[in-house]
Amino acid sequence: MKMSDRLQAIIDRQREFDAAHGWAHYDRELSDEQLVEELYRGTVHLLGELGEFANDVKKSHRESGLRKDELREELTDTFIYLIKLSLLLDMDLETEHKKKIEKNYARFEHHKKSL
Ligand SMILES: [Mg+2]
């Protein structure tokens, strides 16, 4: 099955940006050790961005009220690193998501509400 056009467009845009900056490490032939190193780096970046998101949630909760623009930007940063990690793992995100949703339907069958 072909990945949806919109998701593919997002991934293509990210690939183009990374290639223009020499950051498309997922397009290089990597040893397992190099791949683990890139996964390590990507995961640190992902969690850094998630931390920035969490900080804006905290500020929204404690101080300044809803910081929707900042939250959207930081969540997008985490999405970017999720895409980059999925490219390192040569994943088809749409297929993997579909598989996981099917698995979760089975796993949480007892929570399903009858309509
Ligand atoms: Mg950020």
Side-chain angles (χ1 to χ4, degrees):
M1 184 192 296
K2 183 175 170 290
M3 197 177 316
S4 76
D5 290 343
R6 291 184 73 181
L7 181 55
Q8 190 60 59
I10 290 168
I11 292 169
D12 290 348
R13 189 180 312 127
Q14 188 63 48
R15 293 186 82 107
E16 191 177 317
F17 177 85
D18 289 343
H21 294 83
W23 296 333
H25 306 295
Y26 40 78
D27 283 338
R28 298 187 352 239
E29 193 68 38
L30 299 174
S31 67
D32 284 358
E33 189 176 327
Q34 289 170 319
L35 176 57
V36 169
E37 182 64 25
E38 291 302 326
L39 290 169
Y40 174 82
R41 291 160 49 100
T43 301
V44 169
H45 285 294
L46 171 69
L47 294 178
E49 297 300 343
L50 192 57
E52 291 176 13
F53 178 78
N55 197 41
D56 280 318
V57 171
K58 184 179 74 180
K59 287 179 179 173
S60 294
H61 189 258
R62 286 187 183 168
E63 302 165 14
S64 53
L66 180 60
R67 299 165 60 93
K68 198 179 244 183
D69 289 345
E70 293 85 348
L71 288 164
R72 286 175 169 169
E73 183 170 345
E74 298 310 339
L75 197 59
T76 302
D77 285 341
T78 64
F79 183 51
I80 286 169
Y81 282 105
L82 279 175
I83 290 170
K84 291 161 72 75
L85 287 167
S86 76
L87 289 168
L88 281 168
L89 293 172
D90 196 23
M91 287 172 63
D92 179 327
L93 274 174
E94 189 167 22
T95 301
E96 295 299 328
H97 181 264
K98 184 173 182 291
K99 280 167 38 183
K100 189 64 187 186
I101 286 290
E102 287 167 359
K103 196 171 177 179
N104 283 345
Y105 265 115
R107 182 176 175 199
F108 298 107
E109 177 66 30
H110 56 290
H111 284 288
K112 199 169 178 185
K113 296 188 191 265
S114 51
L115 299 176

